[in-house]
Amino acid sequence: MMENPQIEMGAFKANGLPGQNGGLSSSMVQPRNLQRTVERVLRSIRIVIFTSKLNLLLPFGPASIALHYTTSRHGLVFLFSMLGITPLAERLGYATEQLAIFTGPTVGGLLNATFGNATEMIIAIYALKNGMIRVVQQSLLGSILSNMLLVMGCAFFAGGIVHRNKDQVFSKATAVVNSGLLLMAVMGLMFPAVLHFTHSEVRQGASEVSLSRFSSCVMLVAYASYLYFQLSGRSNAYSPIGSEEMPNEDAADEDEEAEIGMWESIAWLAMLTLWVSVLSEYLVNAIEGASDSLSLPVAFISVILLPIVGNAAEHASAIMFAMKDKLDITLGVAIGSSTQISMFVIPFCVVIGWMMGQKMDLNFQLFETATLFITVLVVAFMLQDGVANYLKGLMLILCYLIVAASFFVHVDPQSSDD
């Protein structure tokens, strides 16, 4: 009996020749996966590195390291490292936003709270490590003042000019809660300073540190409670104005699509944080030398110049959202960032200093504490009616110029006994 040749050919084709079909597909899988991985990496690099014009400043980072080892010009090292960190701070915020798209609003809010001011925290920790407690205090104070006066002032002014025929509105409830937290932070900073300058301590020098550490723990609990309150369904009173009436109109704007993947966002966060920490060390080490070479007070550098590094991203995004008439997001960026620094970053630095054995306290000295108190009062009065216009923005900018001029002529006390 002869077997059917067609059946034999069919079975032969089904099994395939050695090295073909089945063998071919398995050998082709790995090169294709590798090619896709390379394409994703190149696409991610293109999006993160080459889509932001601010990244033109990235070469200043390596240049500052080269200058540190080849010259003794501390002024140039300081300026170059400051310029090099600025785009990294902006990209750090971008990577956090991309990761928040995958994690949802609750975890996204916590991520923004953690990484939103990562640059300020890294610079502060390096300064703490070097025992530069006044630089830590003044740089964090400067970030609060810059966000409340300069960033929000420019946003109100730009939004008011674009929408000059109407008053822009925002949620009063959110503004009141943030103003209350800022006033609580002022209270936490004021009592150690008052205790010191009235010479009414039980133990000279030790009582204000103990009070600062206790107050910092209380402020961290208050901020954690605020985050839980904000993220746990209290959305009716604290949602942006108009969100109830127009649930579907801006759905396309609200539901953003991620430009990079979740693991890509995590990888970029790790790399950017590492590079910021490297440059921060050179920045902090060059502060005192830069003060001498540029003939600028250390207080002016810490309060006015250093916050530019961390607030570049907030400044740009706050103005952009104000021009789009989304003032609730603007307030979230400017006032929200100030609240994070005053209620989370500053107390966190006190606790970290406690662990390091550094006597970091909340006694920011009389001049700085008074400046913060008056600034919070001015901003609270500006926000109480829930309306913004270009005049309010101009007033806030002019207030910041007064603050900057004050720190330009301010000499920091040389010792805590002054």
Side-chain angles (χ1 to χ4, degrees):
M1 282 177 55
M2 288 187 62
E3 295 181 0
N4 191 343
Q6 293 182 350
I7 295 176
E8 288 184 358
M9 287 296 294
F12 186 72
K13 287 180 180 179
N15 294 329
L17 288 171
Q20 289 186 0
N21 293 333
L24 183 65
S25 61
S26 61
S27 62
M28 289 288 286
V29 166
Q30 290 183 349
R32 283 178 182 173
N33 287 339
L34 181 62
Q35 183 180 358
R36 287 173 186 169
T37 303
V38 170
E39 287 175 355
R40 287 186 66 181
V41 169
L42 292 176
R43 179 177 173 274
S44 180
I45 292 173
R46 179 179 59 81
I47 292 172
V48 175
I49 302 297
F50 296 105
T51 57
S52 174
K53 293 180 181 177
L54 201 60
N55 286 346
L56 292 172
L57 299 176
L58 284 174
F60 283 100
S64 68
I65 298 176
L67 282 172
H68 174 80
Y69 290 107
T70 56
T71 68
S72 58
R73 304 179 70 176
H74 297 288
L76 277 179
V77 174
F78 174 80
L79 290 175
F80 275 36
S81 40
M82 190 171 70
L83 289 171
I85 290 176
T86 301
L88 297 175
E90 190 273 335
R91 291 289 88 182
L92 203 58
Y94 170 80
T96 305
E97 290 172 4
Q98 293 297 305
L99 185 58
I101 294 174
F102 295 96
T103 58
T106 303
V107 180
L110 293 173
L111 282 171
N112 283 318
T114 305
F115 287 99
N117 293 296
T119 307
E120 288 92 338
M121 289 179 66
I122 293 170
I123 292 174
I125 289 171
Y126 269 103
L128 262 181
K129 183 182 173 184
N130 292 350
M132 303 168 70
I133 293 175
R134 290 297 290 153
V135 171
V136 176
Q137 293 175 333
Q138 290 174 336
S139 64
L140 295 177
L141 172 77
S143 292
I144 299 172
L145 298 176
S146 174
N147 274 306
M148 286 199 294
L149 295 177
L150 184 63
V151 174
M152 193 165 66
C154 289
F156 279 9
F157 184 77
I161 293 296
V162 172
H163 304 279
R164 66 175 64 89
N165 296 324
K166 68 168 186 174
D167 282 335
Q168 294 180 287
V169 293
F170 52 85
S171 171
K172 285 192 286 187
T174 305
V176 166
V177 170
N178 280 284
S179 299
L181 284 168
L182 287 169
L183 284 170
M184 181 180 177
V186 169
M187 186 176 74
L189 298 181
M190 184 173 289
F191 283 121
V194 171
L195 190 67
H196 174 80
F197 286 101
T198 56
H199 303 287
S200 56
E201 302 170 81
V202 174
R203 290 181 298 163
Q204 186 69 30
S207 295
E208 63 187 77
V209 175
S210 302
L211 176 61
S212 298
R213 290 169 177 172
F214 176 79
S215 300
S216 296
C217 295
V218 171
M219 290 161 72
L220 288 172
V221 170
Y223 186 71
S225 303
Y226 163 69
L227 281 181
Y228 178 78
F229 178 81
Q230 190 184 42
L231 302 173
S232 64
R234 300 294 299 232
S235 56
N236 293 332
Y238 297 89
S239 59
I241 286 182
S243 61
E244 294 87 355
E245 293 85 354
M246 298 177 293
N248 296 320
E249 184 175 334
D250 294 328
D253 294 336
E254 298 297 329
D255 297 331
E256 297 182 45
E257 290 187 5
E259 296 181 359
I260 57 177
M262 184 177 71
W263 291 108
E264 294 171 44
S265 303
I266 294 172
W268 279 113
L269 274 176
M271 287 187 289
L272 290 168
T273 303
L274 181 63
W275 187 226
V276 167
S277 65
V278 169
L279 291 183
S280 295
E281 185 173 7
Y282 293 95
L283 180 74
V284 169
N285 290 335
I287 287 176
E288 292 180 352
S291 174
D292 295 332
S293 60
L294 299 175
S295 299
L296 292 174
V298 173
F300 182 81
I301 290 175
S302 302
V303 176
I304 305 301
L305 295 184
L306 277 184
I308 294 174
V309 172
N311 292 340
E314 284 99 333
H315 208 143
S317 59
I319 292 174
M320 179 187 68
F321 286 123
M323 293 174 70
K324 292 180 179 178
D325 202 16
K326 296 182 178 180
L327 274 195
D328 286 293
I329 303 179
T330 296
L331 280 183
V333 170
I335 298 297
S337 183
S338 298
T339 304
Q340 284 176 14
I341 295 170
S342 60
M343 294 295 292
F344 174 68
V345 180
I346 291 177
F348 179 76
C349 286
V350 172
V351 174
I352 291 295
W354 189 2
M355 295 177 181
M356 289 181 176
Q358 299 283 357
K359 291 187 177 181
M360 167 76 182
D361 58 20
L362 296 179
N363 177 15
F364 277 42
Q365 304 296 326
L366 201 58
F367 186 83
E368 287 85 348
T369 306
T371 303
L372 179 62
F373 179 54
I374 295 169
T375 298
V376 171
L377 282 183
V378 168
V379 172
F381 276 111
M382 291 283 188
L383 299 179
Q384 66 179 348
D385 60 351
V387 174
N389 49 55
Y390 68 87
L391 178 60
K392 285 186 176 181
L394 182 61
M395 289 170 65
L396 290 173
I397 294 170
L398 295 178
C399 287
Y400 187 75
L401 292 179
I402 294 174
V403 169
S406 301
F407 279 98
F408 187 76
V409 298
H410 172 62
V411 177
D412 198 45
Q414 295 300 312
S415 69
S416 60
D417 296 329
D418 291 343

